[in-house]
């Protein structure tokens, strides 16, 4: 039997003491929010007239949400009256030390000069207890779960060369956006979405339409104005 193909395999590892206790990362397609599952595919519109497709029928919107992998919150976190509390019953560290709390903090001064700097507010950091190994030549783009504006926080975006940096924790700084939120953020809530990206050097050029370009664009725009689902049927991979 030939060896398994690891050229497109991400390996998530956790300390053996935590095996079965941590919610595992999952393919993003398995972690879609209930609002996307239950929303209608089309709605009536008085402004536009007739029936209009919702974003549930927009392939770019859905494909972004179903691509990559989701990193979960390691335990329930309660936010009430501006304070975070949790009960994270993890076993003692054995073979290796690991953070025992689901959250850390960044001092606000670390964000001086950025649009999300607020002098009286810390930036939280979601602790992730999975190391991540990517194939050679691949990095991971970590960002807020795509289109998840329902979440009361916004995870900052970062890029990690996980083919080389594969034995250390990758934690996720986030700005707690909804200060009026009161309740529990459940264990398993996605706190970051990651996308494997092959490191390649790209160049950029600009150009004006040729006659052939103009005709192709004219034909496509006309087709899309007459029919629905053109991108999904003809161009979606």
């Amino acid at each position: 039997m030939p060896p398994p193909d690891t050229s497109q395999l991400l390996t998530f590892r956790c300390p053996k003491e935590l095996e079965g206790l941590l919610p595992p990362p999952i393919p993003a397609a398995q972690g879609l929010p209930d609002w996307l599952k239950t929303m209608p595919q089309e709605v009536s519109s008085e402004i536009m007239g007739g029936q209009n497709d919702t974003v549930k029928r927009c392939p770019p919107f859905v494909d972004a949400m179903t691509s990559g992998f989701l990193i979960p919150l390691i335990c329930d976190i309660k936010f009430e009256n501006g304070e975070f509390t949790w009960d994270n019953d993890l076993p003692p560290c054995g073979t290796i030390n690991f953070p025992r709390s689901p959250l850390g903090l960044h001092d606000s001064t670390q964000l001086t000069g950025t649009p999300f700097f607020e002098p009286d507010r810390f930036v939280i950091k979601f602790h992730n207890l999975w190391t991540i190994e990517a194939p050679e030549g691949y990095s991971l783009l970590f960002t807020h779960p795509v289109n998840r504006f329902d979440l009361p926080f916004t995870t900052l975006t970062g890029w990690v060369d996980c083919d080389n940096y594969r034995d250390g924790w990758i934690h996720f700084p986030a700005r707690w956006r909804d200060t009026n939120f009161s309740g529990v953020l459940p264990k398993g809530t996605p706190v970051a979405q990651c996308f494997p990206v092959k490191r390649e050097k790209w160049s950029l050029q600009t150009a004006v339409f040729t006659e052939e370009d103009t005709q192709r664009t004219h034909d496509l725009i006309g087709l899309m104005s007459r029919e629905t689902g053109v991108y999904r049927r003809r161009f979606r991979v």
Side-chain angles (χ1 to χ4, degrees):
M1 179 180 296
D5 180 14
T6 59
S7 62
Q8 291 181 300
L9 176 70
L10 293 184
T11 301
F12 294 84
R13 299 183 177 93
C14 72
K16 64 179 182 180
E17 296 91 340
L18 303 181
E19 184 179 11
L21 299 178
L22 294 178
I26 59 172
Q30 297 178 13
L32 294 176
D34 289 339
W35 58 259
L36 182 63
K37 297 176 183 177
T38 60
M39 70 179 294
Q41 295 192 16
E42 61 179 20
V43 293
S44 60
S45 171
E46 294 183 3
I47 296 177
M48 302 300 292
Q51 294 291 109
N52 279 348
D53 289 346
T54 68
V55 293
K56 192 170 186 174
R57 281 187 175 168
C58 176
F61 184 93
V62 175
D63 288 349
M65 295 184 70
T66 56
S67 298
F69 302 87
L70 296 174
I71 312 296
L73 182 64
I74 65 175
C75 71
D76 290 354
I77 293 179
K78 185 177 183 180
F79 183 78
E80 191 173 34
N81 299 322
E83 295 184 351
F84 293 100
T85 57
W86 57 82
D87 183 10
N88 195 22
D89 187 21
L90 294 180
C93 302
T95 56
I96 191 170
N97 290 328
F98 51 80
R100 301 184 59 78
S101 66
L103 289 180
L105 293 174
H106 282 287
D107 189 279
S108 61
T109 58
Q110 294 180 273
L111 300 176
T112 300
T114 69
F116 31 88
F117 169 74
E118 295 181 77
D120 58 344
R121 291 179 64 184
F122 290 103
V123 171
I124 63 173
K125 179 167 60 179
F126 290 111
H127 285 154
N128 162 48
L129 301 182
W130 297 90
T131 63
I132 311 172
E133 180 181 357
E136 184 177 353
Y138 281 83
S139 299
L140 290 180
L141 175 68
F142 295 94
T143 192
H144 184 76
V146 172
N147 294 327
R148 293 299 306 272
F149 303 109
D150 54 306
L151 297 171
F153 59 87
T154 301
T155 302
L156 305 188
T157 299
W159 175 285
V160 181
D161 298 334
C162 286
D163 54 346
N164 295 322
Y165 184 81
R166 60 191 183 190
D167 298 317
W169 315 120
I170 300 171
H171 304 307
F172 307 113
R175 184 175 180 270
W176 192 266
R177 177 178 42 80
D178 186 0
T179 56
N180 294 320
F181 178 91
S182 181
V184 175
L185 204 61
K187 176 181 180 179
T189 297
V191 297
Q193 189 164 349
C194 65
F195 300 89
V197 181
K198 188 175 182 180
R199 292 193 300 275
E200 299 175 305
K201 291 186 177 180
W202 288 79
S203 300
L204 178 149
Q205 70 176 6
T206 61
V208 298
F209 278 17
T210 64
E211 291 185 4
E212 292 78 8
D213 296 332
T214 301
Q215 186 62 51
R216 288 199 310 271
T217 300
H218 172 78
D219 293 343
L220 178 58
I221 292 174
L223 179 62
M224 295 180 72
S225 68
R226 297 189 303 271
E227 301 180 14
T228 60
V230 172
Y231 172 81
R232 182 170 55 250
R233 296 195 312 272
R234 297 186 54 176
F235 301 102
R236 192 186 196 187
V237 176

